[in-house]
Amino acid sequence: MEPSFTRIPSIPPAIAPLTLLDQRPQWSVMIPTYNCTTYLREALLSVLAQDMGEDRMQIEVVDDASTDGDVAALVAELGQGRVQYYQQPVNVGSLRNFETCINRARGYYVHLLHGDDRVVDGFYTKMTQLFEQHPQAGAAFSRYASINETGQRIYVPAPVDSEGILPNWLVRIAERQQIQYAAIAVRREVYEHLGSFYGTNYGEDWEMWVRIARYYPVAYAPEVLAEYRGHTSSISSAKARQGRIIQDLLLVMEAIQQHLPEKDKKLVATLSRKFYATLGIGVAYQVLRETQDWPSAQHHIKQALVMSRHPSVYYHLFKFHIKQLLHKLSLYS
């Protein structure tokens, strides 16, 4: 067993089963937060607007020793005693904070809502319906929207399927990430069986959703019932600036392989690498347009080619250079 102080565990941390079965609410809405106090108000208000009452819903903020504001005061102000607050004695990192959230959760269904994300009206009602209609489902999720710092929607993915249990979901989710934390709820007993998040602090959720799909059916609702916020201080943004996204994704893909049938491993790996290599070229173009940082853009391109050298990746790289050339010509016209 590895030491508990390891910030990024190398194996799934254990989740302790609950014993007080007669005192459990239906839901645990656990809100991990670290230095996103600017957005935490919106996250809390979006949950409180759907509050099912203390007997049915635990609501708790788990603060990873934030330094950007008085999180306890904000929780007290908005929650008025309804929202519990727990602060880590020291900063333990996102994965250990998620582990704390799940271990502190008392409900049958656990929703990890990051402190900078939001839920849309109807999320908990729809997820409850899915779990009740499909008792075999280990998790249930909805479609989500990506929002920016000001809360404006900037991207809404197409539905992955119609409502209900998703067919062939293990292979489909293993090919590429299609779920955001804000949009998925998991039965606590599933975390007790499979453990918590591990391996890396970028893409760790993708591996978890694949791990769940390996052992349990997963239910889905095509309505947009959650909102994932992208902003410059997030872990994802920091990883992108550092050019470490591809590196972490390769680790996640390797972990995902262990969950797949032998016959699907090679094809899934090829499709995943091609998809994320193409995405990496898109990130390089965005970096160049926003910052004019050519060395950083080149680094993203090199990382993309490490991921895959499929002909379609070179096609997208060709398009990247054409776009860049046209952009330069427009500046001088």
Side-chain angles (χ1 to χ4, degrees), residues 119-130:
V119 282
V120 176
D121 285 349
F123 176 83
Y124 296 106
T125 299
K126 174 56 72 172
M127 294 301 106
T128 300
Q129 289 175 355
L130 286 175

Side-chain angles (χ1 to χ4, degrees), residues 36-74:
C36 60
T37 308
T38 301
Y39 308 115
L40 182 58
R41 178 181 295 271
E42 293 180 40
L44 278 170
L45 290 175
S46 74
V47 174
L48 289 169
Q50 303 180 59
D51 184 8
M52 296 178 169
E54 288 190 63
D55 59 330
R56 291 189 61 194
M57 179 178 280
Q58 171 192 8
I59 307 173
E60 181 168 334
V61 171
V62 180
D63 178 17
D64 194 15
S66 294
T67 59
D68 69 336
D70 192 338
V71 179
L74 178 61

Side-chain angles (χ1 to χ4, degrees), residues 94-134:
S94 59
L95 300 192
R96 291 300 184 185
N97 208 38
F98 302 157
E99 178 189 349
T100 299
C101 284
I102 300 169
N103 272 314
R104 291 182 61 83
R106 296 181 289 104
Y108 291 96
Y109 314 139
V110 179
H111 182 213
L112 293 178
L113 177 67
H114 292 187
D116 47 6
D117 296 337
R118 305 187 302 209
V119 282
V120 176
D121 285 349
F123 176 83
Y124 296 106
T125 299
K126 174 56 72 172
M127 294 301 106
T128 300
Q129 289 175 355
L130 286 175
F131 280 123
E132 291 178 347
Q133 291 169 2
H134 307 285

Side-chain angles (χ1 to χ4, degrees), residues 14 30 40 43 104 120 167 205 211 276 297:
M30 310 303 293
L40 182 58
R104 291 182 61 83
V120 176
D205 53 333
R211 201 185 331 161
Y276 285 105

Side-chain angles (χ1 to χ4, degrees), residues 220-284:
Y220 173 71
E223 297 96 326
V224 177
L225 296 174
E227 294 178 324
Y228 160 75
R229 190 190 305 269
H231 56 91
T232 55
S233 59
S234 69
I235 290 177
S236 299
S237 295
K239 292 273 187 174
R241 290 192 299 271
Q242 297 161 6
R244 293 173 56 190
I245 285 180
I246 298 297
Q247 176 185 343
D248 281 7
L249 284 175
L250 285 170
L251 292 174
V252 173
M253 289 178 191
E254 184 179 348
I256 283 173
Q257 286 285 299
Q258 68 180 309
H259 301 305
L260 293 171
E262 198 64 39
K263 64 182 179 62
D264 296 316
K265 288 183 177 182
K266 185 175 180 179
L267 178 59
V268 167
T270 299
L271 293 174
S272 293
R273 284 172 170 266
K274 183 172 66 173
F275 176 83
Y276 285 105
T278 302
L279 188 64
I281 293 170
V283 170

Side-chain angles (χ1 to χ4, degrees), residues 281 285 312-326:
I281 293 170
Y285 183 71
S312 67
V313 175
Y314 282 105
Y315 169 72
H316 285 283
L317 185 56
F318 173 74
K319 286 177 61 179
F320 164 85
H321 286 293
I322 293 296
K323 284 182 180 179
Q324 184 59 18
L325 176 61
L326 292 175

Side-chain angles (χ1 to χ4, degrees), residues 240-243 284 287-288 291 293-301:
R241 290 192 299 271
Q242 297 161 6
V287 167
L288 203 55
T291 67
D293 186 349
W294 179 245
S296 178
Q298 283 184 311
H299 179 73
H300 282 285
I301 290 171

Side-chain angles (χ1 to χ4, degrees), residues 131 133-138 165 187 216-217:
F131 280 123
Q133 291 169 2
H134 307 285
Q136 75 276 34
I165 295 294
R187 293 186 190 271
Y216 299 90

